[in-house]
Amino acid sequence: MRIRVQEEPFDPGAELDGFGAGADVGAVVSFTGMVRGDGGLSRMEIEHYPGMTEKAIAAIAGEAVARWNLADCLVIHRHGPMRPGERIMMVATASRHRASAFEAAEFLMDYLKSRAPFWKKEYGADGAEWVAARDEDEDALGRW
Amino acid sequence: MRIRVQEEPFDPGAELDGFGAGADVGAVVSFTGMVRGDGGLSRMEIEHYPGMTEKAIAAIAGEAVARWNLADCLVIHRHGPMRPGERIMMVATASRHRASAFEAAEFLMDYLKSRAPFWKKEYGADGAEWVAARDEDEDALGRW
Amino acid sequence: MLDVLYFAWVRERIGEPRETVETGATTVAGLVDELKAREERYALAFSDLSALRVAVDQELADFDAPLAGAREVAFFPPMTGG
Amino acid sequence: MLDVLYFAWVRERIGEPRETVETGATTVAGLVDELKAREERYALAFSDLSALRVAVDQELADFDAPLAGAREVAFFPPMTGG
């Protein structure tokens, strides 16, 4: 299990190198989230809660590993300023079977979205605005 | 859309490099399938139907792109001899949103499994055996 | 003149990956009947059609698909890619 | 002595990221009432508790959570990670 909270960019290809190596791993799923340039967005700033962030992500990742019996699990989440096209975060899961690798990755994303202490502020043509949490994101937790 | 059917190994990290670049892409999902060394498996051989394979994959990928409005889609599938731990295939999807990137990747996997002309033969302690298709794999198509 | 292809265990039972056949069959099922009548190895390979899949000109098809205009027919077990 | 932290627009409304408070409150809700009584900016930040989340010692908690033994309380809007 590898968890990193950082301001610097990261390279998903390099992070996946060697991830899930091992003769009992049949499936690796990765998700990478990027800043979209929708509606004139010029930049984004992500604030987080140092200390709690790492703990919250470790708890979420630990639950994913236990529940889907993952061979490995990776979470990287950036904070600070970012521009459209830049990568915000990634998760990866390694498992015996395809279904569990997919499910665990979606579980990680749903929980990171609503239970890890990050807040996005968008800077666009009309000024700056904190991104509001969406009811669907909270509802998504209900499926797990 | 990038489709490759090949005997040579591939590097998922290198393949993902630059995949889904573009200001309207918010999500990239990748899946990589590996040979597991279960039950004394020493090697595997994948046979395919040259000509039909490429067409079948192009049709499946084309449907995924249209249905989930993907910004990009990648499918690599190997044939020939492989050993435990080696990568068999990968798919990647790039989309505006997370849900569509995940769904499209799972759709691709379900269809590649049952509708692309590949056949696996496993060589283990008890000799060689063609892998039997599972009812669940056929049933999985019903969800799309 | 029709190219007939075999894959996986169908290929192994029949003993060759492809052959060219002269046929008067108008459907895939008719072709299967002609082949089964030829030799024991064909009868064995085609003994359970529910375990087989067929492609006509590289598109999945049914056993009652017409052969008019077809150049290539392939027989194989259910696919196991991914 | 309790460290109280604010994030995102809660931080902006209150005007500082953290402060140390002397409190007699036994629950998070009691602490909120004390803060609201202090100054307008707190009253504004805490005007709609349904729009806020709270963590006690870096664990998500409810507003009726006890403060006994707590060292750090944080207030923030619903999270938007991922």
Side-chain angles (χ1 to χ4, degrees):
Chain A
M1 201 161 97
R2 196 162 81 213
I3 290 166
R4 294 212 318 267
V5 179
Q6 63 186 43
E7 186 156 346
E8 310 75 52
F10 61 89
D11 175 354
E15 299 294 342
L16 283 178
D17 199 32
F19 179 83
D24 57 347
V25 171
V28 167
V29 167
S30 78
F31 175 91
T32 308
M34 277 89 76
V35 182
R36 286 201 318 275
D38 289 7
L41 181 89
S42 60
R43 65 190 179 92
M44 169 183 279
E45 185 110 17
I46 298 183
E47 183 170 333
H48 81 121
Y49 184 169
M52 178 172 167
T53 308
E54 292 78 0
K55 277 189 225 173
I57 296 178
I60 293 166
E63 188 175 340
V65 168
R67 196 152 152 189
W68 283 279
N69 196 22
L70 300 180
D72 206 353
C73 176
L74 161 72
V75 178
I76 301 174
H77 205 303
R78 293 176 63 199
H79 56 88
M82 274 161 250
R83 296 197 173 275
E86 279 192 61
R87 299 182 187 100
I88 303 171
M89 53 87 65
M90 78 175 285
V91 304
T93 54
S95 180
R96 290 176 60 77
H97 298 289
R98 176 164 60 116
S100 50
F102 269 117
E103 277 184 30
E106 295 204 58
F107 168 90
L108 285 170
M109 289 307 305
D110 282 349
Y111 270 83
L112 289 171
K113 205 154 201 70
S114 307
R115 290 290 181 273
F118 292 100
W119 301 274
K120 294 193 182 102
K121 192 173 192 175
E122 296 181 339
Y123 295 78
D126 303 331
E129 201 163 353
W130 290 99
V131 173
R134 301 179 315 156
D135 288 344
E136 304 95 275
D137 292 334
E138 189 65 32
D139 295 347
L141 304 186
R143 63 170 162 154
W144 303 111
Chain B
M1 202 161 99
R2 196 162 77 213
I3 290 166
R4 292 212 319 267
V5 180
Q6 62 186 44
E7 185 154 348
E8 310 75 50
F10 61 90
D11 175 354
E15 300 294 343
L16 282 178
D17 199 32
F19 179 83
D24 57 347
V25 171
V28 167
V29 167
S30 78
F31 175 90
T32 308
M34 278 89 76
V35 182
R36 288 200 319 274
D38 289 6
L41 181 89
S42 61
R43 64 188 179 94
M44 167 183 282
E45 185 110 18
I46 297 183
E47 182 170 334
H48 81 120
Y49 184 170
M52 178 173 168
T53 310
E54 292 79 0
K55 278 188 225 174
I57 297 178
I60 294 166
E63 189 175 339
V65 167
R67 196 153 154 188
W68 283 279
N69 195 20
L70 300 181
D72 207 352
C73 176
L74 162 72
V75 178
I76 301 173
H77 204 303
R78 292 176 64 200
H79 57 89
M82 276 161 249
R83 296 198 173 274
E86 278 192 60
R87 299 182 187 101
I88 303 171
M89 53 86 65
M90 77 174 285
V91 304
T93 55
S95 179
R96 291 175 60 78
H97 299 290
R98 175 165 60 113
S100 49
F102 269 117
E103 277 183 31
E106 295 203 61
F107 168 90
L108 286 170
M109 290 306 305
D110 282 349
Y111 271 82
L112 289 171
K113 207 157 200 67
S114 306
R115 291 290 182 272
F118 292 101
W119 300 274
K120 295 193 181 101
K121 192 173 192 176
E122 295 181 340
Y123 296 78
D126 304 330
E129 201 162 355
W130 290 99
V131 174
R134 301 180 315 156
D135 289 343
E136 305 94 275
D137 292 333
E138 189 65 30
D139 295 346
L141 303 187
R143 63 171 163 153
W144 304 110
Chain C
M1 296 292 279
L2 195 64
D3 283 326
V4 183
L5 284 66
Y6 310 107
F7 292 98
W9 58 255
V10 184
R11 172 179 55 71
E12 291 177 338
R13 285 196 196 168
I14 287 175
E16 48 200 339
R18 65 188 302 153
E19 59 187 320
T20 301
V21 301
E22 196 88 47
T23 178
T26 58
T27 65
V28 172
L31 173 64
V32 168
D33 287 338
E34 282 186 11
L35 293 168
K36 284 171 78 170
R38 276 190 180 181
E39 283 180 50
E40 181 60 24
R41 59 192 170 112
Y42 290 96
L44 186 67
F46 290 109
S47 61
D48 177 10
L49 292 190
S50 76
L52 291 183
R53 299 292 179 268
V54 62
V56 175
D57 287 336
Q58 306 192 349
E59 295 274 356
L60 285 174
D62 294 319
F63 280 90
D64 56 7
L67 286 183
R71 288 171 304 133
E72 184 173 304
V73 173
F75 296 101
F76 41 78
M79 295 158 272
T80 54
Chain D
M1 297 292 279
L2 194 64
D3 284 324
V4 183
L5 283 67
Y6 310 107
F7 292 97
W9 59 254
V10 183
R11 170 179 57 72
E12 291 177 337
R13 285 195 195 169
I14 287 172
E16 48 199 340
R18 65 188 302 154
E19 59 187 319
T20 302
V21 303
E22 197 88 49
T23 178
T26 57
T27 65
V28 172
L31 172 65
V32 169
D33 288 339
E34 282 186 12
L35 292 169
K36 283 171 79 169
R38 274 186 177 185
E39 282 180 51
E40 181 60 23
R41 58 192 171 111
Y42 290 97
L44 186 67
F46 290 108
S47 60
D48 177 11
L49 292 191
S50 75
L52 291 183
R53 300 292 179 267
V54 62
V56 174
D57 287 336
Q58 306 191 350
E59 295 273 357
L60 286 173
D62 294 319
F63 281 89
D64 57 7
L67 287 183
R71 288 170 304 131
E72 184 173 306
V73 175
F75 297 100
F76 41 78
M79 293 157 274
T80 54

